Amino acid sequence: MSVSARSAAAEERSVNSSTMGQQKNLEGYVGFANLPNQVYRKSVKRGFEFTLMVVGESGLGKSTLINSLFLTDLYSPEYPGPSHRIKKTVQVEQSKVLIKEGGVQLLLTIVDTPGFGDAVDNSNCWQPVIDYIDSKFEDYLNAESRVNRRQMPDNRVQCCLYFIAPSGHGLKPLDIEFMKRLHEKVNIIPLIAKADTLTPEECQQFKKQIMKEIQEHKIKIYEFPETDDEEENKLVKKIKDRLPLAVVGSNTIIEVNGKRVRGRQYPWGVAEVENGEHCDFTILRNMLIRTHMQDLKDVTNNVHYENYRSRKLAAVTYNGVDNNKNKGQLTKSPLAQMEEERREHVAKMKKMEMEMEQVFEMKVKEKVQKLKDSEAEPKNTSRVFMISINGESRFGKLNRSLKSESMKEPVKRSGQVSPNPVSPLQRRHEQMKKNLEAQHKELEEKRRQFEDEKANWEAQQRILEQQNSSRTLEKNKKKGKIF
Amino acid sequence: MQDKEYVGFAALPNQLHRKSVKKGFDFTLMVAGESGLGKSTLINSLFLTNLYEDRQLPEASARLAQTLTIERRGVEIEEGGIKVKLTLVDTPGFGDSVDCSDCWLPVVRFIEEQFEQYLRDESGLNRKNIQDSRVHCCLYFISPFGRGLRPLDVAFLRAVHEKVNIIPVIGKADALMPKETQALKQRIRDQLKEEEINIYQFPDCDSDEDEDFKRQDAEMKESIPFAVVGSCEVVRDGGTRPVRGRRYSWGTVEVENPHHCDFLNLRRMLVQTHLQDLKEVTHDILYEGYRASCLQSLARPGARDRASRSKLSRQSATEIPLPMLPLAETEKLIREKDEELRRMQEMLEKMQAQMQQSQTQGEQSDAL
């Protein structure tokens, strides 16, 4: 048979076996029962990561519960949690901790939302949370689409613990609004916080009321999966009956009947955190960490992330169809399209930046030029004056030039909005002119004086000479030396 | 001296006592705070009545678009021959919705309306049977879950502290361990001081009261805000006598146990010792303040127009002009500026007079 026919036959066979589900019993021990162990060992080496988000009004014991759940002081007195600092707006903060147990290590990321529901006007206080979750999804999407996918850090929020205040009446409008907007993006597990405020009867009634309201508003909280195992199903049913879980947290260890337990000490008794009759903390811990952590991650990956991804890509392809001039480009893969768009966007931003810088520099140059011009003008005119002063022959020229300057100035300035007869430059110009003229007059006078003196002196010299000459003549006469 | 010259006015208090017993007391109490803090339960425990029997709690979906409403419930209770007509003002819907901006305005308006009503009645012709519906006291419930006063609490208290006696109360105090209670109380006290909110101040007891009373008084003052737990159920804790309390799996909270909560203090203060004082403060200080500001606002525009003033005097026989409540900001400013000008003018005149005096004195001394 030719190659293509053989491969076609192989395909057919595999398709058949998958649809018919042929099961064959083995005659010996092959060894692939060891596969789970391989997975186990590999995962232990790799380590696990889990991102948990806690949302609720301040003072509901979120940080204390986290500390109790993971038996570490993530928020200690030296480093109090974000909730201890008063916030004006809702913030989203994350803290990471690496915990090890039995050779297995877990990189735990806790995302806290201090300031949630604390203000007078709480409209849109869920927006920062939604933006955070979406941004983590986007990061993962981008990481997935890259060429080098060796290290893909998974920071997506895998579980959101929503804390309900134990009012005993039911859900608050804020709770409903928040859950309605987030149930499609993240696994929501509602918890009744500070449950030691409710008596058992009140707690039952409260839980019933909450579940009724959740169903009424069609909020999809995290659902525990059904398994084939009967035992496990029973456990799961037990958990489902006790939803939402009423929890109590504590940072302090108290001694009760010789045992050291985590609890809260009241004058009327001790509420133990890990006592199943006091609260549902152990159920929460078992569910969250011991049995369903992997399932939470899977649901986040397969359901919430895929929802986000399909929505995002559908939007891109829709835009692509509209904006594409070349119809032939419809066949391009949407991811590449996205990349291209992003590149374009970045390039556009860079171009805009450069343009703005250029414009800025141009304007700066213009201003500098203007300043220089305005400074240079009186200098120019004064230079003219200096040159002219040195030469008296040029005095006439000076006068003329001055006159022309003074006539030119208003002409120059008429180019502006309104010729201001008292513009500072003109004033300075006139002042300098006056000074120069004054100086000139002084010099003239000096020169005249000098000339007068010169004339006098010459006259005197002449007289003196004449006298001298006459005297010498007389002397000579006396001496009778007439040659 | 007492035997020989006995005038007999030592029996005056007895006369008053008898008269007041005949007349009966009336008291209006307002409770405010977020829903779910145990307000109704506390009221029922305080007065040992079931005022909220037929109450239907609205669901969250109904509360989504709810605005604040004011509900009044009246009940007459009698104890030892003394009748009290108690009116409870409730504020359902407070702090419920997502956007609580200005949700305290209906409450403020309600309190002012009561003052307005009283002012009108007082200025009317027939003053024999004035119904006093003014709010004498407001119990404001603070959540034990937060870290002190929240922005909404501060906004509400700021809006009403000059109009009604405020007694801050921490509801559902069985959520807090003793250390936490102390810390929260301190934090609330600091915040109240910081925000300059005037809560009801207990008057100091006279020096001739007995030591016990003084001790109790001091204790009570230190425990403000009161951390209370309310309950209407009687719990029989095997062996001990039946008490009102809340039964948990790990113990039972007794409402009337001073080590468990401050309920006894609150009840003593509110009902046993300071009820009359609350009424007096409402009448003498808060109501007078309101009245003064109202009449001032009436007087100013009237002074400018003499015609309208005469009109006013003619009308006052039959009808009282309504005091204008929220004045425009600019009018207030104008008034303030006018007053300032007046004051400055007066000062100028005084100074001038002084100068003239000193001048004449100087002349006199010169002449001498």
Side-chain angles (χ1 to χ4, degrees):
Chain A
M1 265 197 286
S2 58
V3 176
S4 52
R6 215 182 296 145
S7 53
E11 264 192 358
E12 230 189 54
R13 236 180 296 135
S14 64
V15 165
N16 275 344
S17 62
S18 62
T19 46
M20 285 185 354
Q22 268 187 338
Q23 279 191 341
K24 291 218 143 115
N25 287 324
L26 301 170
E27 279 128 348
Y29 176 67
V30 182
F32 58 76
N34 218 23
L35 275 169
N37 291 347
Q38 295 178 24
V39 174
Y40 181 91
R41 251 180 290 135
K42 257 230 161 97
S43 59
V44 166
K45 226 173 25 164
R46 208 180 15 208
F48 293 89
E49 25 177 41
F50 190 64
T51 308
L52 180 65
M53 176 183 263
V54 279
V55 184
E57 292 172 2
S58 72
L60 285 181
K62 303 188 288 286
S63 324
T64 317
L65 187 74
I66 298 294
N67 283 350
S68 312
L69 266 178
F70 295 100
L71 291 176
T72 60
D73 277 339
L74 188 66
Y75 300 118
S76 61
E78 291 91 48
Y79 173 60
S83 313
H84 279 265
R85 296 171 241 138
I86 316 280
K87 294 280 197 267
K88 292 263 152 87
T89 54
V90 182
Q91 316 264 323
V92 182
E93 295 185 3
Q94 72 174 26
S95 17
K96 285 192 201 261
V97 73
L98 182 65
I99 40 185
K100 282 199 198 164
E101 189 185 60
V104 179
Q105 63 182 25
L106 173 69
L107 177 63
L108 181 67
T109 311
I110 305 285
V111 182
D112 204 340
T113 53
F116 181 83
D118 280 342
V120 177
D121 183 0
N122 287 315
S123 340
N124 289 332
C125 67
W126 46 78
Q127 198 56 44
V129 178
I130 295 181
D131 291 340
Y132 179 84
I133 295 177
D134 278 343
S135 78
K136 292 301 165 192
F137 277 156
E138 192 171 321
D139 288 344
Y140 193 77
L141 182 61
N142 290 339
E144 230 184 16
S145 329
R146 251 186 266 157
V147 174
N148 184 2
R149 295 197 292 193
R150 199 60 64 80
Q151 284 126 352
M152 265 202 311
D154 186 0
N155 285 325
R156 298 172 291 185
V157 179
Q158 275 126 5
C159 175
C160 173
L161 296 177
Y162 188 76
F163 285 71
I164 301 170
S167 62
H169 293 326
L171 286 176
K172 287 211 260 195
L174 175 64
D175 301 337
I176 294 180
E177 285 297 310
F178 179 86
M179 287 203 272
K180 269 217 281 229
R181 278 157 221 268
L182 259 87
H183 66 152
E184 306 263 299
K185 291 188 192 280
V186 73
N187 298 317
I188 298 187
I189 299 180
L191 299 174
I192 299 177
K194 296 210 166 167
D196 51 350
T197 329
L198 301 165
T199 61
E201 303 88 34
E202 288 172 352
C203 200
Q204 276 294 353
Q205 209 185 352
F206 191 40
K207 286 184 181 184
K208 251 193 255 165
Q209 179 69 23
I210 292 180
M211 288 315 281
K212 193 171 95 165
E213 287 182 0
I214 285 181
Q215 271 159 19
E216 221 177 79
H217 290 269
K218 301 201 181 40
I219 295 173
K220 297 191 216 119
I221 57 175
Y222 173 67
E223 281 208 11
F224 297 89
E226 300 272 333
T227 54
D228 299 327
D229 193 0
E230 267 303 315
E231 280 291 324
E232 279 198 33
N233 262 350
K234 264 198 248 165
L235 278 171
V236 168
K237 188 157 180 323
K238 230 177 33 161
I239 298 179
K240 280 196 185 168
D241 282 340
R242 298 184 78 153
L243 281 179
L245 299 171
V247 291
V248 176
S250 170
N251 283 332
T252 53
I253 302 183
I254 301 173
E255 209 161 296
V256 170
N257 295 339
K259 268 194 312 172
R260 288 170 64 79
V261 285
R262 269 187 187 244
R264 289 170 65 76
Q265 175 128 54
Y266 294 107
W268 48 88
V270 176
E272 293 168 40
V273 167
E274 292 178 11
N275 187 331
E277 288 171 27
H278 293 186
C279 69
D280 299 328
F281 174 81
T282 35
I283 299 182
L284 174 69
R285 186 186 53 194
N286 294 344
M287 183 278 290
L288 189 62
I289 303 173
R290 294 181 190 175
T291 48
H292 286 85
M293 188 181 262
Q294 191 56 39
D295 185 63
L296 283 164
K297 289 170 79 164
D298 289 338
V299 172
T300 311
N301 192 30
N302 301 340
V303 178
H304 298 295
Y305 174 65
E306 289 300 318
N307 279 345
Y308 170 83
R309 190 169 169 275
S310 59
R311 250 182 284 133
K312 188 80 192 277
L313 297 181
V316 169
T317 49
Y318 184 69
N319 282 339
V321 165
D322 275 343
N323 296 342
N324 265 338
K325 295 182 195 144
N326 197 358
K327 290 279 176 174
Q329 283 183 354
L330 275 174
T331 53
K332 215 199 265 185
S333 84
L335 281 180
Q337 180 87 16
M338 225 171 63
E339 281 271 1
E340 213 188 89
E341 283 193 88
R342 202 157 38 99
R343 255 179 276 135
E344 270 184 43
H345 182 78
V346 168
K348 218 189 346 170
M349 298 294 289
K350 278 210 182 116
K351 213 173 72 167
M352 275 175 70
E353 241 191 81
M354 274 174 56
E355 273 183 354
M356 283 176 71
E357 276 195 43
Q358 276 182 1
V359 167
F360 179 68
E361 276 190 43
M362 247 173 58
K363 289 215 165 142
V364 167
K365 269 195 208 150
E366 265 184 50
K367 283 261 159 156
V368 169
Q369 192 66 29
K370 262 195 196 165
L371 273 172
K372 275 197 193 148
D373 284 337
S374 62
E375 267 185 60
E377 274 180 0
K379 272 205 204 131
N380 280 341
T381 46
S382 64
R383 222 179 291 146
V384 168
F385 297 154
M386 290 302 175
I387 294 170
S388 324
I389 257 182
N390 292 334
E392 35 174 352
S393 56
R394 294 192 203 126
F395 181 51
K397 228 201 244 175
L398 173 66
N399 253 340
R400 251 177 282 136
S401 64
L402 274 176
K403 284 212 186 107
S404 61
E405 280 286 350
S406 56
M407 282 205 303
K408 257 195 233 163
E409 288 285 358
V411 172
K412 256 196 226 164
R413 300 221 183 270
S414 63
Q416 291 177 357
V417 180
S418 54
N420 196 355
V422 206
S423 68
L425 265 177
Q426 219 176 344
R427 240 185 285 135
R428 218 191 324 163
H429 164 85
E430 282 180 357
Q431 257 187 9
M432 288 181 75
K433 192 166 118 188
K434 279 192 201 130
N435 285 346
L436 287 167
E437 285 197 327
Q439 277 184 11
H440 198 84
K441 278 199 192 120
E442 270 186 42
L443 283 171
E444 279 264 27
E445 271 203 38
K446 278 197 183 149
R447 204 174 56 133
R448 244 182 271 128
Q449 276 183 1
F450 173 65
E451 292 214 334
D452 285 339
E453 278 190 18
K454 193 165 132 191
N456 286 342
W457 190 79
E458 280 187 11
Q460 276 187 4
Q461 284 285 22
R462 254 182 260 128
I463 294 170
L464 272 172
E465 266 198 49
Q466 277 181 356
Q467 284 183 351
N468 265 349
S469 57
S470 59
R471 234 186 270 142
T472 46
L473 269 169
E474 283 181 9
K475 249 203 239 171
N476 285 340
K477 256 191 199 164
K478 276 183 196 163
K479 282 189 180 167
K481 279 180 190 168
I482 302 168
F483 292 114
Chain B
M1 298 300 134
Q2 285 167 354
D3 289 310
K4 292 189 190 154
E5 295 167 355
Y6 178 67
V7 184
F9 55 76
L12 272 169
N14 292 349
Q15 295 178 28
L16 266 175
H17 187 265
R18 247 179 296 138
K19 245 210 168 125
S20 54
V21 166
K22 230 177 16 169
K23 197 167 98 163
F25 293 88
D26 58 2
F27 189 67
T28 309
L29 177 67
M30 172 185 269
V31 275
E34 276 184 359
S35 64
L37 287 180
K39 300 190 291 287
S40 330
T41 320
L42 184 74
I43 296 299
N44 286 346
S45 328
L46 263 179
F47 298 104
L48 286 176
T49 58
N50 241 345
L51 276 173
Y52 292 90
E53 236 167 350
D54 53 353
R55 187 168 71 140
Q56 296 259 332
L57 285 166
E59 297 191 351
S61 40
R63 280 190 278 159
L64 266 171
Q66 197 182 46
T67 52
L68 187 75
T69 54
I70 311 268
E71 282 179 10
R72 253 205 280 211
R73 268 174 247 268
V75 71
E76 292 221 3
I77 43 185
E78 186 178 322
E79 185 185 63
I82 314 246
K83 288 196 277 260
V84 172
K85 180 166 166 295
L86 176 69
T87 312
L88 266 165
V89 182
D90 205 351
T91 54
F94 181 82
D96 259 355
S97 46
V98 178
D99 182 0
C100 302
S101 323
D102 293 341
C103 72
W104 51 86
L105 287 182
V107 178
V108 177
R109 184 88 192 106
F110 176 79
I111 298 175
E112 285 181 348
E113 266 172 24
Q114 307 312 309
F115 278 159
E116 204 180 302
Q117 179 70 41
Y118 194 81
L119 180 59
R120 230 182 288 206
D121 288 343
E122 209 185 34
S123 326
L125 280 178
N126 190 357
R127 295 204 292 188
K128 249 193 228 171
N129 302 318
I130 303 182
Q131 296 288 340
D132 186 8
S133 63
R134 296 171 294 185
V135 180
H136 298 120
C137 175
C138 173
L139 286 180
Y140 188 73
F141 280 71
I142 302 167
S143 166
F145 308 123
R147 281 198 189 83
L149 293 176
R150 286 151 157 212
L152 177 61
D153 300 336
V154 173
F156 177 84
L157 290 174
R158 269 243 189 85
V160 296
H161 68 141
E162 299 284 328
K163 304 195 159 59
V164 72
N165 293 314
I166 298 181
I167 299 179
V169 162
I170 302 176
K172 293 204 170 169
D174 53 349
L176 300 168
M177 300 196 288
K179 250 192 285 180
E180 291 172 348
T181 320
Q182 286 306 320
L184 182 62
K185 283 189 182 182
Q186 187 58 44
R187 177 114 182 84
I188 293 178
R189 279 196 286 255
D190 292 340
Q191 267 178 309
L192 286 173
K193 219 187 292 183
E194 214 179 278
E195 305 281 345
E196 290 174 2
I197 293 172
N198 302 328
I199 57 174
Y200 172 66
Q201 300 290 336
F202 292 91
D204 293 324
C205 41
D206 308 317
S207 50
D208 58 349
E209 300 276 359
D210 59 348
E211 281 302 318
D212 216 17
F213 188 77
K214 271 199 234 176
R215 197 177 35 85
Q216 270 178 4
D217 202 54
E219 223 178 71
M220 195 168 58
K221 284 203 193 138
E222 268 172 42
S223 58
I224 292 180
F226 298 111
V228 290
V229 178
S231 170
C232 298
E233 288 146 9
V234 178
V235 168
R236 270 163 227 278
D237 236 2
T240 54
R241 53 186 173 73
V243 282
R244 275 194 304 139
R246 291 168 61 75
R247 194 209 289 278
Y248 293 108
S249 328
W250 50 89
T252 308
V253 185
E254 294 167 36
V255 168
E256 291 175 7
N257 185 333
H259 296 291
H260 288 188
C261 70
D262 294 330
F263 175 80
L264 278 184
N265 276 343
L266 174 66
R267 187 173 65 181
R268 190 184 307 134
M269 186 283 297
L270 192 58
V271 180
Q272 293 171 8
T273 49
H274 288 88
L275 197 134
Q276 192 58 30
D277 186 60
L278 282 165
K279 287 182 72 169
E280 276 173 23
V281 171
T282 312
H283 183 74
D284 294 335
I285 300 178
L286 302 169
Y287 169 67
E288 287 301 317
Y290 171 82
R291 187 169 168 275
S293 66
C294 253
L295 293 184
Q296 217 177 30
S297 70
L298 262 185
R300 281 279 140 187
R304 290 197 206 127
D305 188 4
R306 288 188 182 267
S308 65
R309 210 202 281 173
S310 56
K311 248 194 273 175
L312 278 175
S313 57
R314 248 181 287 134
Q315 279 179 0
S316 63
T318 49
E319 187 188 286
I320 306 298
L322 288 175
M324 300 179 281
L325 278 172
L327 291 162
E329 285 287 323
T330 45
E331 280 197 37
K332 269 198 199 146
L333 275 172
I334 294 174
R335 258 189 296 122
E336 280 171 21
K337 293 282 188 263
D338 278 341
E339 273 202 46
E340 267 188 53
L341 268 170
R342 229 184 348 110
R343 256 182 274 141
M344 285 171 70
Q345 273 185 346
E346 280 174 27
M347 270 174 60
L348 252 169
E349 281 171 16
K350 253 191 254 169
M351 281 166 67
Q352 277 182 347
Q354 270 185 9
M355 271 174 64
Q356 277 190 350
Q357 261 192 9
S358 59
Q359 264 188 353
T360 49
Q361 275 183 7
E363 282 173 11
Q364 282 180 355
S365 61
D366 279 341
L368 287 171

